[in-house]
Amino acid sequence: MKINEVSKMYDITADTLRYYERIGLLLPEFVAANGFRQYSVDQYLQLEIITTLRRLDIPVADIQHFMTHKSLDTLQALLAEHQSFCQKEIERYTAISQELQ
């Protein structure tokens, strides 16, 4: 599939896909001489992981690390770290909310 088809399928912009390509996070299977990018099933699976982690607001740099060191341990550590970060943010905003009251 071409970049616009993939972007519509995953509800992300073509610019986001180009950014992922530029930083080496998601490389298309084939880039034609005219610049058209073709994605394979492998890229769809990778993009499913990337978009799921982005929906959880996990930073792209952390996703890059996971994608280059894929393992259950790495995923569990990534999710635990992000959960801890989210909990701290909840506590911070709760404190701010209490001060405002």
Side-chain angles (χ1 to χ4, degrees):
M1 292 181 84
K2 294 181 181 171
I3 193 167
N4 288 330
E5 296 167 325
V6 174
S7 68
K8 287 178 187 175
M9 181 184 297
Y10 285 94
D11 195 29
I12 58 175
T13 66
D15 286 341
T16 297
L17 287 169
R18 287 185 197 96
Y19 170 70
Y20 291 164
E21 179 183 354
R22 192 169 50 254
I23 65 170
L25 182 58
L26 180 72
L27 302 174
E29 184 73 24
F30 176 75
V31 179
N34 61 4
F36 285 123
R37 291 155 174 81
Q38 294 286 327
Y39 294 86
S40 72
V41 173
D42 288 339
Q43 279 82 39
Y44 298 147
L45 297 174
Q46 290 174 5
L47 191 54
E48 187 67 36
I49 294 168
I50 293 166
T51 56
T52 298
L53 294 175
R54 287 299 297 141
R55 273 194 304 276
L56 295 173
D57 206 28
I58 294 176
V60 172
D62 292 345
I63 296 171
Q64 273 186 297
H65 176 77
F66 168 70
M67 296 298 284
T68 57
H69 302 91
K70 283 186 210 167
S71 73
L72 182 56
D73 289 340
T74 305
L75 179 59
Q76 288 174 331
L78 173 64
L79 296 177
E81 179 181 328
H82 193 62
Q83 184 176 18
S84 175
F85 170 79
C86 289
Q87 187 59 45
K88 288 176 185 172
E89 287 294 291
I90 289 169
E91 291 167 6
R92 184 171 75 88
Y93 281 111
T94 299
I96 291 170
S97 178
Q98 288 172 352
E99 283 187 47
L100 291 171
Q101 290 177 2

